[in-house]
Amino acid sequence: MNWRQTYLVLKREYLTRVKSKGFIWATILVPVGFAVLIGVGIFIAAWDSEIDYTIGVFDESGLIIENLQEIDETRYQDYSDLPVDTLRAMVQREEITGYVLVNDSHITGEQNLELIYSGSGGLQLLTAVRSDFRESIRQERLRRENVSEDIRNIFESSVTIDSRRLSREGEETDDDTEFLSVVGMFMGLIIFGAIFGYGGYIMRGVIEEKTNRIIEVIASSVKPIELLTGKMAGVGAIAITQFGIWILAFTGLSAIAGPVASSIIGESASATQMPNGMEQANQELPAILDIPTLETSLIIYFVIFFFLGYLLFSSLFAAIGSAADSETDTQQLMLPISAPIFIAYIIMFHTMQSPDSTLSVVGSLIPFFSPILMITRIAITEVPFWQTSTAILLMLLSFVGTMWLSAKIYQVGILSYGKTATFKDLAKWIKQS
Amino acid sequence: MSVTISVDGVSKRFGETQAVNNVSFDVEKGRIFGLLGPNGAGKTTTIRMINYITLQDEGKITINDLPVSPKTQKMIGYMPEERGLYKKMKVGEQLMYLAQLKGMNKTDAREKIKYWLNRFNAYDWHSKVVGELSKGMSQKIQFISTIVHNPEIYIFDEPFSGLDPINSELLKEIIIELKDQGNTILFSTHRMEQVEQMCDDICLFNNGKVVLTGNLRKIKKDFGKNTVLLEFQGDGSFLDELEDVRINNRSTNFAEIRILNGLNAQEILKKAMQNVEIHKFQLVEPSLNEIFISTVGEDNIKKQQEAELS
C-alpha cells in the first residue's frame, strides 16, 4: 500500500464530488425532503381523523344512543324510527357506513352486538366503534345497577402512569422512552439511508470509471487496493462534510426556530381543540427541536455505528460496481447487499417497540444488521456493554472480510469489459486472484 | 545494446483459458517494438503484465533489470486499448492528477502540462471539462496524459484504433520523436502497414504463444524473395488456375502472389503473358501481412493436427 497514491485518489474523489452540483443539491434537498416527509406524515394523521363515518343506530331501548352521541355526535345517528330494511338499503347506497341494532338483550349481555357495514373505514373505525359501544353499554349497566355517582366516576376516571428511569448507578431520571424511540428510529433510518446513499455514490463512481474507460490508465499507476481505499475514504470524507453541514444548519436553525415554533404551537394548542393526530404531532415537534437532551454517549455510538456500517457495506458496493458493465445492470448483483439492509430496516420497527426482545438482541449482534438495529436499541434502552462491544468487534471482523472479498472482485472486475458478471463469475474471480 | 523490457518464460491463465503460454522476448533500448497477432492472441494480457496491472502466474518480467513493481510502473507511459478520461474533470486538473499518480511533483507536472498543451495548440482547453471537447481533442489530451510524466518507456495498446487521420499522423510523429530522443517504444497493433513503416523489431503472437520474433528486416529477408507483384490489363481469371500460391491484395488489375512450394516465378510470368498484358512484374520479399497470415495460418494448422492426433 502506497499512502501517497491513496491520498491522491482520496483528494480527487473528494474535490470533484464536493464541487459537483449533485452534492450541493443533495445537501440542500435531503433535509428538505426529510422535513416534507415528516410534514406529510403529520398532515395525513391529522387529516385522516377528520373523515366522517356515519353509523346508524337502531336502539330499541332508547338508552344507548344518548350515551353514544355523547361520545361522538356526528358519527352515531339515531335511526330508531326507521325500519331495519331501510337502514340496510342506506348502507348499500352508501348513505351511511353501517348500522347497529341494540336491544335489551345486548345490554344485559345475553347477545353480542353486530355491526353491519360496507367495509370502509378499516381497522381504525372498527376499533373506535367497539370501544364506543363498550363504554356506552357499560354506562347503561352501571345505571341499571343503581350505583352511586361516586362509583360511576371511578369507572370514568383514567389512570395515568408516569415513569422514571433508575440507572445502575442509582440515578433517577425522567423517562423519555417515547422521545428516545423516535430518536432511535431516526438514527436507524439515517444509517439505513446513508449506507444506500454513500454506497451508491461509490458504486456509481466505479461504474463511471469503467464506462469512461479511464480505469486501465489509472490501474497502470495505482494498485486496485489503493484505488479502492482512496475511493472509500474520499466518499467517507464527503459523508463527514455533508453531515457536518446538516448538523450545523440544524443546530443553528433550531436555536432560532425552537422557541418561536413552540410558542406558536403552544398558543394555538390552547386556543383550539386539536384533533388526535395534531395533538400527537404537537408533542413530538418540540421534542425534535429539543436536541440537548441527547446523551453524548448516544451521539458517539451513532458516529461509531454510522462509520462501521459505511465501511462494512461500501467496499461491497464498490465490488458490485466493478462487476457491472452499466448502472442498469446492478439490480441483480445488489440483492445480496440490499437484502440484509432491508431486513434490518424491517426488524427496526419491531426493535422500536421491544428493544430487549430476543429478535432485537440477536439481530443487533449480526454484523450486517448491527448498524441499524444496535443504534436503535442504544437510543431506547440500556444495552449491556458486552453487547455493544461484541457488535462492534463483529462488525470490525466482518469489515476485514468484506474488504478482502471486495478487493478480490474489484481488481478483476475493473478490467473486464463487455458484460456484467454473474455470481458464478464472481466466485471464479475470488478464487483466481 | 541494452535490454529495456525483458519477458522471460511468462504464462498467465484465466480459469480454463491459457491466455499467455511461456512467452519470451526482449525489447531493446531506443527501439520501436511491435507486438502483432490476431484478436485474443494474448497481446493485451502481456502488455498488462509488463505494466504490473495483471500479475503473471509464471516467468519473470523485468524493466531495466528491475522486476515489475509500482516503481517500474512510473518508468512507463501506458496508453491502453480501452482508454478514456474523466468526463467531468477539467483538462488541467485531470492531467495534473494523472501526472501526480505517476510520481511527479506539482511544479514539474505543471510545467510539463503547459509544455505539451502548447505543443498541441491546446492550451486554451486547460480549464475546459473533458466532456465538452470533441473526440479528436480528447484524443490529444489522452496522448498528453500518457507522456506527460516524461518516462523512458512508452507502451501503446492498439494506439491507432479509433483515431482520426490527423491524430493518427500526430501520434506517429510523437512516436518517432520519442524514439529519436532515445526512448523505448512498444506497441501492439494489427495494422501491418504501420508496423512496416515504424517498427525495428516485432513479435508475433498466436494463441497465447510467440510464433515469431526478431528484427523486422531480418525476418523479411529470411522469408526470401518469393512474392510476385503483378500489374496487368485484361482478364485476371488465369490467377485462379495457379497452384501452390496464395494471392493477397487482389484487385482487377493487381495481385500480390506468394509462391508457396518453390514454384518458379517464371512459370507465373509465362502464364500471365499468355492471358493478359503485363504492366509490371516484380519479385519481392513478402509483406508483413503475408508473413503474418502464413505464420499464423501454419501455426493454426499445426495446432489442429496436434488436436487431431491427441
Side-chain angles (χ1 to χ4, degrees):
Chain A
M1 255 327 255
N2 181 340
W3 292 106
R4 182 181 179 269
Q5 305 292 81
T6 310
Y7 170 70
L8 286 171
V9 174
L10 185 164
K11 203 171 89 178
R12 194 203 79 86
E13 290 290 329
Y14 182 78
L15 288 178
T16 51
R17 278 171 205 282
V18 89
K19 285 189 285 186
S20 74
K21 284 194 192 103
F23 174 81
I24 295 165
W25 279 114
T27 310
I28 297 169
L29 287 181
V30 167
V32 171
F34 233 79
V36 168
L37 217 65
I38 294 168
V40 167
I42 292 170
F43 177 73
I44 287 173
W47 180 63
D48 190 43
S49 60
E50 277 166 13
I51 290 176
D52 289 330
Y53 296 105
T54 323
I55 305 293
V57 180
F58 187 91
D59 188 1
E60 283 179 7
S61 64
L63 299 163
I64 301 301
I65 182 68
E66 263 175 58
N67 294 341
L68 283 169
Q69 281 184 331
E70 241 169 71
I71 298 169
D72 194 330
E73 214 175 330
T74 47
R75 181 174 292 165
Y76 300 105
Q77 298 289 337
D78 187 359
Y79 286 122
S80 309
D81 44 356
L82 291 177
V84 175
D85 285 346
T86 315
L87 284 177
R88 284 188 87 89
M90 282 170 81
V91 173
Q92 283 170 329
R93 286 199 302 270
E94 291 181 7
E95 284 166 18
I96 56 174
T97 318
Y99 71 93
V100 180
L101 282 176
V102 188
N103 58 36
D104 230 39
S105 64
H106 296 120
I107 298 172
T108 54
E110 287 160 30
Q111 236 183 314
N112 283 341
L113 285 161
E114 220 175 12
L115 169 70
I116 313 292
Y117 79 127
S118 62
S120 62
L123 211 55
Q124 207 187 351
L125 178 72
L126 271 183
T127 320
V129 170
R130 269 191 199 131
S131 79
D132 292 350
F133 270 89
R134 195 180 300 136
E135 176 144 3
S136 305
I137 289 180
R138 189 179 289 152
Q139 272 180 30
E140 176 58 20
R141 284 181 191 165
L142 285 168
R143 203 189 57 79
R144 288 187 180 187
E145 292 303 318
N146 250 333
V147 290
S148 70
E149 187 77 10
D150 287 344
I151 296 181
R152 234 186 286 173
N153 281 345
I154 291 173
F155 270 93
E156 272 167 33
S157 67
S158 65
V159 179
T160 52
I161 298 185
D162 288 331
S163 51
R164 290 174 68 73
R165 285 187 183 208
L166 180 62
S167 75
R168 217 171 283 142
E169 290 79 27
E171 261 178 86
E172 201 180 304
T173 52
D174 284 343
D175 183 31
D176 29 17
T177 297
E178 276 157 28
F179 165 59
L180 288 176
S181 297
V182 175
V183 169
M185 186 191 73
F186 268 107
M187 286 184 162
L189 274 179
I190 288 170
I191 292 181
F192 169 82
I195 288 173
F196 271 115
Y198 296 115
Y201 260 176
I202 291 190
M203 188 179 76
R204 280 192 296 277
V206 173
I207 294 174
E208 192 197 350
E209 284 181 348
K210 268 185 85 177
T211 46
N212 279 357
R213 297 290 193 251
I214 188 158
I215 187 65
E216 198 167 343
V217 177
I218 304 289
S220 72
S221 315
V222 185
K223 279 190 188 166
I225 185 76
E226 292 163 355
L227 190 56
L228 181 59
T229 317
K231 278 184 169 306
M232 285 166 61
V235 175
I238 284 286
I240 295 173
T241 310
Q242 207 156 34
F243 271 86
I245 294 171
W246 287 336
I247 289 166
L248 279 181
F250 189 73
T251 35
L253 277 179
S254 57
I256 306 162
V260 178
S262 47
S263 73
I264 293 171
I265 290 164
E267 274 168 33
S268 60
S270 56
T272 53
Q273 190 67 37
M274 289 230 176
N276 249 354
M278 280 302 257
E279 250 164 44
Q280 223 174 325
N282 199 5
Q283 284 164 2
E284 277 165 25
L285 259 180
I288 289 169
L289 297 169
D290 193 17
I291 352 172
T293 51
L294 290 187
E295 279 177 54
T296 332
S297 66
L298 176 60
I299 294 169
I300 291 170
Y301 274 126
F302 173 74
V303 172
I304 292 175
F305 280 93
F306 182 98
F307 275 102
L308 283 176
Y310 169 73
L311 287 176
L312 190 59
F313 283 101
S314 59
S315 68
L316 292 173
F317 275 99
I320 285 176
S322 75
D325 199 51
S326 72
E327 217 181 303
T328 45
D329 289 349
T330 53
Q331 295 297 337
Q332 196 205 344
L333 291 168
M334 280 282 287
L335 195 72
I337 298 186
S338 35
I341 306 177
F342 272 107
I343 292 170
Y345 175 78
I346 292 161
I347 298 177
M348 185 185 80
F349 290 97
H350 162 84
T351 300
M352 254 181 87
Q353 310 281 335
S354 52
D356 296 310
S357 72
T358 316
L359 177 63
S360 298
V361 173
V362 172
S364 67
L365 289 176
I366 296 172
F368 293 94
F369 301 164
S370 292
I372 294 172
L373 295 183
M374 191 54 99
I375 197 63
T376 310
R377 287 188 62 212
I378 290 173
I380 300 168
T381 181
E382 197 79 24
V383 180
F385 181 70
W386 74 264
Q387 289 182 8
T388 25
S389 47
T390 309
I392 290 174
L393 192 73
L394 287 177
M395 286 177 74
L396 282 171
L397 287 176
S398 314
F399 163 62
V400 173
T402 54
M403 191 72 194
W404 176 83
L405 202 70
S406 304
K408 292 206 151 203
I409 294 173
Y410 183 77
Q411 62 177 331
V412 183
I414 49 173
L415 293 176
S416 56
Y417 307 112
K419 75 176 184 88
T420 295
T422 60
F423 289 114
K424 216 171 135 193
D425 294 329
L426 295 192
K428 219 186 288 166
W429 294 354
I430 293 165
K431 255 186 261 162
Q432 126 197 352
S433 54
Chain B
M1 203 60 83
S2 67
V3 173
T4 303
I5 304 172
S6 159
V7 177
D8 185 12
V10 166
S11 298
K12 178 74 190 178
R13 172 179 279 278
F14 295 111
E16 301 287 291
T17 339
Q18 185 78 50
V20 174
N21 188 357
N22 195 17
V23 160
S24 303
F25 61 85
D26 288 336
V27 181
E28 284 166 5
K29 188 171 164 52
R31 291 170 79 90
I32 300 180
F33 190 94
L35 224 49
L36 315 174
N39 289 332
K43 292 173 301 200
T44 296
T45 306
T46 306
I47 286 177
R48 282 180 179 170
M49 288 190 288
I50 295 171
N51 277 298
Y52 195 58
I53 293 170
T54 307
L55 305 185
Q56 70 268 28
D57 297 337
E58 284 165 51
K60 207 171 130 194
I61 303 173
T62 57
I63 311 286
N64 289 332
D65 296 327
L66 294 169
V68 282
S69 67
K71 197 175 163 195
T72 61
Q73 278 186 330
K74 295 189 169 55
M75 305 172 179
I76 302 173
Y78 173 46
M79 192 166 86
E81 181 178 7
E82 298 283 1
R83 51 186 172 255
L85 298 162
Y86 288 111
K87 292 216 164 57
K88 287 175 195 158
M89 248 179 134
K90 285 178 186 163
V91 169
E93 288 173 357
Q94 181 137 219
L95 291 173
M96 177 59 85
Y97 175 57
L98 294 172
Q100 281 185 308
L101 284 182
K102 283 285 186 193
M104 265 192 138
N105 69 44
K106 247 183 171 165
T107 332
D108 291 350
R110 200 172 289 132
E111 201 176 297
K112 275 281 164 192
I113 291 166
K114 199 173 162 190
Y115 168 79
W116 282 109
L117 283 174
N118 278 326
R119 173 78 195 281
F120 287 172
N121 290 323
Y123 198 74
D124 298 347
W125 307 342
H126 190 276
S127 302
K128 270 198 182 167
V129 175
V130 172
E132 293 171 9
L133 301 181
S134 73
K135 203 173 172 198
M137 283 167 160
S138 50
Q139 282 169 353
K140 280 183 187 157
I141 303 300
Q142 191 92 52
F143 299 159
I144 298 177
S145 74
T146 309
I147 60 185
V148 69
H149 61 293
N150 207 20
E152 50 178 305
I153 301 161
Y154 296 83
I155 298 179
F156 303 92
D157 195 0
E158 296 288 351
F160 300 102
S161 74
L163 291 194
D164 58 42
I166 297 170
N167 278 333
S168 240
E169 219 33 58
L170 180 68
L171 180 61
K172 226 189 277 176
E173 274 169 36
I174 298 172
I175 290 178
I176 303 287
E177 187 185 314
L178 291 171
K179 184 204 160 171
D180 290 344
Q181 290 164 358
N183 297 301
T184 311
I185 293 124
L186 180 149
F187 72 87
S188 83
T189 184
H190 50 258
R191 296 263 298 269
M192 295 307 151
E193 75 278 10
Q194 263 135 10
V195 179
E196 299 222 75
Q197 285 167 15
M198 296 165 69
C199 287
D200 301 306
D201 306 296
I202 62 159
C203 178
L204 183 52
F205 269 68
N206 192 38
N207 291 320
K209 281 188 226 160
V210 172
V211 287
L212 188 66
T213 184
N215 183 287
L216 180 61
R217 306 263 151 270
K218 192 166 171 294
I219 287 173
K220 286 186 98 167
K221 216 165 162 189
D222 289 349
F223 263 73
K225 286 201 174 186
N226 51 12
T227 300
V228 171
L229 298 184
L230 188 68
E231 254 182 67
F232 57 88
Q233 189 90 47
D235 178 17
S237 58
F238 75 96
L239 290 167
D240 301 324
E241 292 157 21
L242 294 173
E243 279 169 12
D244 285 334
V245 297
R246 180 170 38 237
I247 299 167
N248 302 315
N249 265 339
R250 182 174 170 177
S251 65
T252 44
N253 54 8
F254 177 80
E256 185 189 314
I257 306 162
R258 166 82 196 279
I259 301 164
L260 293 175
N261 263 352
L263 179 80
N264 197 331
Q266 302 306 318
E267 293 291 324
I268 297 173
L269 181 59
K270 230 184 263 173
K271 262 245 167 73
M273 281 173 71
Q274 286 162 13
N275 292 283
V276 294
E277 184 188 330
I278 295 167
H279 289 185
K280 181 179 165 188
F281 181 89
Q282 193 183 7
L283 206 54
V284 295
E285 287 168 359
S287 68
L288 194 52
N289 198 33
E290 170 53 34
I291 294 175
F292 181 86
I293 290 168
S294 66
T295 316
V296 169
E298 275 167 31
D299 190 55
N300 286 346
I301 290 165
K302 212 166 78 190
K303 204 181 165 193
Q304 219 167 21
Q305 282 168 345
E306 276 168 15
E308 278 163 16
L309 283 173
S310 62

